[in-house]
Amino acid sequence: MSTVVDLHMHSINSDGTLSAEEMLNMMNELNVDFASITDHDNVKVYEQIKKINVKFNKPLTLIPGTELGCSFDGVIRDVLGYGIDTKVIDDFVSNRYSKENQIKKQKRLLEEYKRVFKRAGIKFDEDIEVSRGNKSEAYITIYENLIKYPENIEKYPFISKITLFFWNYCSNNETKFFVNESMDYPTMKEGIELIHDAGGLAFLAHPCMYRIGKLRTLQLINHAMDCGIDGIEVMHSQHTFDDNLFLAEVARKYRLLKSGGSDYHGGTKPDISMVTGKGDLYVPYNMVKEWIDKVRQIKL
C-alpha cells in the first residue's frame, strides 16, 4: 500500500471551511500517512488538535506548518513553513496581525475592490460589508456577490473561476483588475527568516499557479533562493503535468527540496479534494522523504 501524503491544506482558522476535528476525521477516512495543515499566517489549529481525540485507523504524522503571505514586487507570493515551532510563528502573527488590524485591512481592501470593479463595469451590491478579518474575506465577499449577476460572467467569462480570477487578474499588476493586497505583509526574506527562526524549512508555494510564464517563474524562484528558500512546492492541484516536470527539473538543477499538496480548502474551493486535488494529484513519499523525517513532527 502506497504512503498517502498531503502537505498543503487549510482549516477554518484561515480561509478553509472545516474545523480541526473535521479535518483529522477526513484524514483518517482517507488513510493519510503524512499531512500538514498550512493555514495562512496562522497556526491556531495545532493548539486545537491537542484537545481532540480521534481514533485513527493507522498512525498519522502531522508536520506543523503554515503558509506565510510575503510581499514581492507589489503582489503576494506565499511561502510554506514545515516543521516549525508554532509558538514562534504565533508570537509573530499575533503581534503583526491582530484581529482589529485584520478587520481594518479587509475593510480597506473591500473598498478598493469595489472601486476597481466599478471602474471595470462589474455589477455588485454597494452595501456588502466585511466584519471577521479572515484571510481573503474582502475578495471572497465581493466575488460571491458579483457572480449573482449573470451579466458579469457574460462580460468577463474568466470571472467564473474564483481562483483563476484572483491570481490571473486581481493579483496581476498588469491587468485593470489589480488590487494590491501585499501591503502590511513581510518581505519574502523576512518570511523565510521567520520560518528558519522557528526551526523549520521554507518552501516557495505553488510557483506555477500564478501563471506568469516560465521566465518570470524562474525569476521568482531565483529571488526566493537569494532570500534563503529551502525548497519549492512541485506538486499542487493548480499545477499541470508540464508544470510538475518543469519544477522538478528546477529543483534538481538548483538542489532544492521538493514538496506537494492539494491546497484543500473545503467549501471555499469545492473542486479541490484533500489528497487527490482535482482528481489526479499524487504526492509520492519518495519526493519528500529526503527531508520529512528530519523536521519537527506530531505523531497521532
Side-chain angles (χ1 to χ4, degrees):
M1 184 179 294
S2 62
T3 304
V4 180
V5 179
D6 191 342
L7 300 177
H8 191 161
M9 56 185 82
H10 300 275
S11 78
I12 200 168
N13 291 284
S14 61
D15 55 347
T17 56
L18 269 63
S19 67
E21 185 169 7
E22 289 170 325
M23 295 196 75
L24 291 181
N25 282 324
M26 184 173 289
M27 291 178 206
N28 192 29
E29 291 173 11
L30 296 172
N31 292 309
V32 176
D33 295 282
F34 291 89
S36 184
I37 301 175
T38 52
D39 283 326
H40 292 282
D41 309 310
N42 194 309
V43 289
K44 296 187 185 305
V45 71
Y46 291 101
E47 282 302 309
Q48 296 162 3
I49 284 171
K50 293 176 182 178
K51 303 171 185 176
I52 298 169
N53 184 23
V54 174
K55 187 177 181 180
F56 289 95
N57 299 324
K58 65 177 183 178
L60 169 66
T61 300
L62 276 183
I63 310 300
T66 190
E67 186 172 15
L68 299 179
C70 299
S71 63
F72 172 72
D73 283 351
V75 295
I76 302 170
R77 294 295 180 250
D78 294 324
V79 175
L80 292 158
Y82 293 122
I84 53 172
D85 180 340
T86 56
K87 185 179 185 308
V88 173
I89 302 296
D90 189 54
D91 286 347
F92 174 85
V93 298
S94 294
N95 290 329
R96 188 153 188 156
Y97 305 121
S98 68
K99 195 67 173 178
E100 181 183 4
N101 286 339
Q102 289 302 88
I103 292 172
K104 287 180 180 178
K105 178 177 181 177
Q106 291 302 318
K107 287 184 175 181
R108 174 179 58 78
L109 284 172
L110 181 61
E111 292 308 308
E112 183 64 8
Y113 274 113
K114 287 180 178 180
R115 184 186 68 81
V116 169
F117 289 175
K118 183 183 293 184
R119 190 175 60 196
I122 295 176
K123 187 175 181 180
F124 56 86
D125 297 331
E126 288 282 356
D127 61 351
I128 56 173
E129 296 180 345
V130 292
S131 60
R132 295 175 296 147
N134 289 4
K135 164 80 175 178
S136 302
E137 183 185 7
Y139 173 72
I140 292 171
T141 298
I142 197 166
Y143 180 85
E144 290 178 343
N145 183 260
L146 67 85
I147 58 173
K148 295 177 181 178
Y149 295 95
E151 55 264 47
N152 290 330
I153 308 297
E154 291 172 10
K155 187 172 185 177
Y156 300 113
F158 49 80
I159 286 178
S160 63
K161 302 292 185 181
I162 183 173
T163 303
L164 180 148
F165 183 46
F166 180 78
W167 288 115
N168 290 19
Y169 294 89
C170 299
S171 291
N172 184 346
N173 55 15
E174 296 179 357
T175 77
K176 64 182 179 181
F177 303 96
F178 175 66
V179 171
N180 185 356
E181 290 209 19
S182 71
M183 289 182 286
D184 307 322
Y185 282 96
T187 65
M188 189 171 291
K189 184 174 180 60
E190 289 171 335
I192 291 169
E193 287 177 350
L194 172 62
I195 290 167
H196 288 164
D197 288 345
L201 295 174
F203 288 69
L204 183 64
H206 40 61
C208 288
M209 192 185 78
Y210 305 115
R211 298 294 162 217
I212 54 178
K214 286 187 177 180
L215 178 60
R216 291 177 65 191
T217 300
L218 280 172
Q219 292 171 342
L220 172 63
I221 293 171
N222 276 311
H223 175 75
M225 290 171 59
D226 289 341
C227 294
I229 205 79
D230 301 295
I232 54 177
E233 186 175 35
V234 172
M235 312 292 291
H236 183 269
S237 294
Q238 303 288 349
H239 286 173
T240 66
F241 181 72
D242 287 343
D243 291 336
N244 297 338
L245 293 179
F246 166 66
L247 293 172
E249 175 58 23
V250 170
R252 184 199 64 78
K253 181 178 179 180
Y254 294 108
R255 297 182 181 180
L256 294 168
L257 300 175
K258 299 183 287 293
S259 183
S262 64
D263 204 355
Y264 175 74
H265 283 69
T268 311
K269 297 181 180 180
D271 60 328
I272 295 177
S273 300
M274 189 183 292
V275 176
T276 57
K278 293 188 174 182
D280 57 357
L281 181 70
Y282 171 66
V283 180
Y285 173 70
N286 283 345
M287 191 181 76
V288 300
K289 69 177 183 179
E290 179 181 358
W291 61 269
I292 203 167
D293 287 319
K294 298 176 183 177
V295 298
R296 186 178 280 102
Q297 298 179 342
I298 301 169
K299 299 287 187 179
L300 298 175

